Amino acid sequence: MNCGGRTPATILCKYCSACLTVTPGERAIQCAQCCGVTRIRCSMRLPLPALPRPAAAFPCTRGKKRAVLIGITYAGMRRGCGELRGPINDVKCMRQLLCQRFGFPSDCIIMLTGKLPTKDNIRMAMQWLVQGCSYGDSLVFHFSGMGAQVPDEDCDEADGYDEAICPMDSFQKGPILDDEINEAIVRPLVHGAKLHAVVDACHSATVLDLPFFCNMSRSGNWQWQDHRPPSGACKGTNGGQAVLISGYSDGKSKFSVVGAMTHSFIKAVDCEPCGVTYGRLLTSMKAIMTNGGGSCNLQGPIGAPVRKVANFSGVQEPNLSSSEMFDIYRKPFAL
């Protein structure tokens, strides 16, 4: 429904009826009053402008290990809601973990915090991450911030909803939907290239739109589920592997769960020995979440900031999804 002039186009928020300005080319827009996400009808979408070239701050180095780390507090952006308190520490801790534990070169890591995590910058960072990927590349995408759900319109979601991450300017330009994330950083992965995504946001369980989903069954074992889209759309890679580690929450506590999933991931990785399997890592993460932080006493520059970021209200357990099924009790986790 158009509730204003033709330039710019406007629609009503599906949830609170606020008038929202439609950004050219976008598929959804987020309301600054209620934080709800409203789909934009195809007839209202204008062509999406081409992305500008990456900013000069983006590294020119093309190492075999590269990472994009995004932390958004939404300071001053959300009406009636305080800013998130964990994302900046999440990003700093992830950077330390990648550099100290897994040998990622510091000049091959992009950090987007403060005013940098705009929709355009996140899109360019995702493009930078996978551009020219080749055999042996280990890539990491980490997001700590708000997530959202949007009604699906192309019949590729079993639950009828697309998941999304919310950039800093989500209230002006809308969230980034899982369809776009999958196209940007999953499908370009060639044989021998590996991507690990760690997403700390509500509604993030399947935010990479990967075809296979693993969670804990009632019997206490981690089991795979086939989440290939009913439409038959291809959501896999170009021969590589993509893995998403995310935290399950019901969305009711979405403004307080930030930090819990990142904290449990970092703590589990640091407490477990090298060569830990994915199954053992997930079980350790779940135990840390259940125990409100766990008993492992992290030491050194990683441990100190980690102890300050966890907030465990809302996240019940970790989830894993992947572009392919594998034996999580035998395959070692490595970045």
Side-chain angles (χ1 to χ4, degrees):
M1 177 178 180
N2 191 303
C3 60
R6 293 184 180 179
T7 306
T10 53
I11 60 173
L12 291 178
C13 173
K14 178 181 178 180
Y15 304 96
C16 71
S17 299
C19 198
L20 309 176
T21 301
V22 174
T23 300
E26 302 300 351
R27 301 176 63 184
I29 187 68
Q30 188 170 23
C31 177
Q33 294 188 18
C34 71
C35 294
V37 178
T38 301
R39 277 279 188 184
I40 299 172
R41 296 197 311 268
C42 293
S43 59
M44 296 185 66
R45 297 180 197 157
L46 299 174
L48 183 65
L51 285 177
R53 292 184 177 181
F58 280 27
C60 297
T61 308
R62 303 301 300 172
K64 301 299 286 181
K65 292 189 173 187
R66 304 188 295 276
V68 169
L69 314 178
I70 303 165
I72 311 177
T73 65
Y74 307 95
M77 303 300 295
R78 303 187 299 151
R79 299 175 186 173
C81 300
E83 65 184 83
L84 301 182
R85 293 176 292 177
I88 305 302
N89 276 335
D90 287 353
V91 166
K92 292 179 180 179
C93 293
M94 280 294 294
R95 181 187 177 94
Q96 289 180 326
L97 181 74
L98 293 178
C99 292
Q100 297 179 17
R101 179 72 180 260
F102 296 103
F104 276 63
S106 59
D107 58 355
C108 291
I109 298 176
I110 289 177
M111 293 178 60
L112 297 180
T113 59
K115 296 182 179 180
L116 292 178
T118 63
K119 191 169 189 176
D120 284 347
N121 280 345
I122 293 175
R123 282 171 164 165
M124 288 189 290
M126 290 192 296
Q127 185 181 70
W128 170 88
L129 182 65
V130 300
Q131 188 174 27
C133 67
S134 60
Y135 186 91
D137 283 359
S138 178
L139 314 176
V140 172
F141 178 82
H142 173 243
F143 177 87
S144 180
M146 286 172 51
Q149 279 187 319
V150 192
D152 177 37
E153 64 175 15
D154 45 19
C155 300
D156 65 353
E157 299 286 349
D159 63 356
Y161 288 91
D162 281 320
E163 284 71 42
I165 59 173
C166 300
M168 188 188 71
D169 53 355
S170 183
F171 301 124
Q172 293 78 39
K173 293 191 174 183
I176 303 177
L177 303 186
D178 52 10
D179 296 323
E180 179 179 350
I181 299 172
N182 180 276
E183 184 175 355
I185 61 175
V186 173
R187 281 182 248 180
L189 296 172
V190 299
H191 176 68
K194 179 172 58 177
L195 168 75
H196 283 88
V198 180
V199 179
D200 198 345
C202 64
H203 305 303
S204 63
T206 60
V207 77
L208 259 64
D209 244 5
L210 297 173
F212 301 103
F213 181 75
C214 186
N215 64 354
M216 184 168 281
S217 67
R218 293 182 178 179
S219 63
N221 296 315
W222 297 97
Q223 293 184 348
W224 287 104
Q225 300 174 14
D226 190 340
H227 276 211
R228 283 175 288 189
S231 65
C234 178
K235 295 291 185 177
T237 68
N238 191 27
Q241 184 181 17
V243 174
L244 167 66
I245 298 175
S246 58
Y248 166 77
S249 71
D250 56 15
K252 295 178 181 178
S253 307
K254 64 183 179 180
F255 298 135
S256 62
V257 302
V258 171
M261 215 291 301
T262 300
H263 172 87
S264 65
F265 171 76
I266 293 175
K267 199 163 190 178
V269 169
D270 207 65
C271 289
E272 295 292 339
C274 292
V276 61
T277 65
Y278 283 87
R280 172 71 182 179
L281 181 67
L282 290 172
T283 300
S284 180
M285 289 177 63
K286 181 175 174 60
I288 291 168
M289 291 178 179
T290 302
N291 296 332
S295 59
C296 180
N297 183 26
L298 297 185
Q299 302 297 326
I302 297 178
V306 166
R307 285 192 291 269
K308 301 177 182 178
V309 304
N311 187 324
F312 290 89
S313 58
V315 173
Q316 286 84 41
E317 63 182 41
N319 292 317
L320 183 144
S321 57
S322 176
S323 56
E324 59 189 54
M325 289 190 287
F326 56 88
D327 188 341
I328 67 168
Y329 291 107
R330 292 188 177 183
K331 185 169 183 174
F333 168 82
L335 297 179

